[in-house]
């Protein structure tokens, strides 16, 4: 498959790139500073800005799927969704955040009393993005939200998938590695099961 990754130089973007290339896919890596990455077989690097939809759309055209891995505080969801829409690509996957996941009936993690204030804007931005996506019916979108702790780690291939509720391991910890998150995202691209839905991954 031909996959475009917007935000390819970030911590999540690079893991998604590694996983996609390891599976034999062709990747167009899009970033404002693509020179941060070295050339690799199967990878094409181009400069692009998520907030410049008119210029971004042609870069996305012709791909089988687009993944956006961009911080929500620096992204206008309408512009990014619009760029995908105008590119003609129907399959659109978004790296979400844990903040919008439920920790109780109708209660999101971001709204809990002890949610760190320094992460609020980013987490709430993810919730806003998700709510906008839920009104989009002309793209085959999917948002994959990680668990609360999203960190560099090992590629184990052993994890759980959930829907709208935060996943917690038997030790009480809610977490997932970037590497295992990338597996879940590429699995969804190769075998779509969550069209126009949000889902989550954790241990």
């Amino acid at each position: 498959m031909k996959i475009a990754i917007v935000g390819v130089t970030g911590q999540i973007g690079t893991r998604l790139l590694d996983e996609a290339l390891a599976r034999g896919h062709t990747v167009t890596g899009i970033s404002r500073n693509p020179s941060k990455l070295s050339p690799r077989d199967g990878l094409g690097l181009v400069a692009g800005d998520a907030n410049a939809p008119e210029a971004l759309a042609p870069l996305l055209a012709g791909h089988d799927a687009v993944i956006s891995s961009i911080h929500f505080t620096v992204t206008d969801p309408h512009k990014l969704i619009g760029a995908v829409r105008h590119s003609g690509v129907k399959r659109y996957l978004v790296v979400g955040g844990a903040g919008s996941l439920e920790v109780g009936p109708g209660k999101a993690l971001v709204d809990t009393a002890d949610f760190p204030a320094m992460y609020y804007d980013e987490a709430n931005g993810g919730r806003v993005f998700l709510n906008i996506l839920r009104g989009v019916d002309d793209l085959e979108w999917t948002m994959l939200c990680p668990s609360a702790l999203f960190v560099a780690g090992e590629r184990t291939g052993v994890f759980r998938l959930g829907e709208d509720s935060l996943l917690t391991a038997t030790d009480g910890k809610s977490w997932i590695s970037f590497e295992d998150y990338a597996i879940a995202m590429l699995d969804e691209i190769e075998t779509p099961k969550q069209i126009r839905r949000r889902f989550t991954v954790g241990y």
Side-chain angles (χ1 to χ4, degrees):
M1 297 176 71
K2 293 181 63 178
I3 302 170
I5 302 177
V6 184
V8 71
T9 58
Q11 292 197 87
I12 316 306
T14 54
R15 269 68 172 200
L16 292 168
L17 170 62
D18 289 344
E19 185 68 24
L21 291 180
R23 296 184 185 211
H25 299 297
T26 300
V27 177
T28 299
I30 301 170
S31 170
R32 284 178 293 181
N33 298 297
S35 61
K36 290 181 179 180
L37 296 180
S38 300
R40 296 166 64 179
D41 289 343
L43 170 64
L45 293 168
V46 295
D49 188 342
N51 288 312
E54 297 84 0
L56 181 60
L59 303 180
L60 304 179
H63 290 84
D64 298 300
V66 173
I67 306 174
S68 64
S69 179
I70 306 288
H71 286 294
F72 297 115
T73 52
V74 298
T75 306
D76 182 332
H78 294 288
K79 290 182 178 179
L80 195 44
I81 293 168
V84 177
R85 184 177 279 133
H86 286 102
S87 76
V89 179
K90 293 300 182 183
R91 189 73 174 106
Y92 177 42
L93 301 100
V94 179
V95 175
S100 64
L101 293 168
E102 294 182 357
V103 294
K107 187 170 187 179
L109 177 64
V110 69
D111 293 327
T112 56
D114 56 353
F115 190 85
M118 64 183 294
Y119 299 124
Y120 180 83
D121 288 347
E122 177 69 16
N124 190 59
R127 174 166 57 183
V128 170
F129 202 120
L130 174 60
N131 287 335
I132 292 171
L133 280 175
R134 283 173 167 161
V136 173
D137 59 8
D138 60 337
L139 296 176
E140 295 176 357
W141 63 266
T142 299
M143 177 179 278
L144 175 55
C145 291
S147 292
L149 186 61
F150 195 22
V151 294
E154 297 181 6
R155 184 188 185 281
T156 70
V158 180
F159 48 79
R160 295 182 294 148
L161 300 179
E163 296 182 355
D164 292 315
S165 297
L166 185 74
L167 294 175
T168 303
T170 54
D171 61 2
K173 187 177 178 182
S174 175
W175 73 294
I176 189 69
S177 71
F178 298 146
E179 291 78 6
D180 279 340
Y181 176 96
I183 294 176
M185 182 69 91
L186 267 295
D187 285 349
E188 174 61 24
I189 290 178
E190 293 177 348
T191 309
K193 296 180 179 178
Q194 307 288 346
I195 301 296
R196 299 192 183 97
R197 294 180 62 186
R198 179 266 298 277
F199 74 117
T200 186
V201 57
Y203 297 124

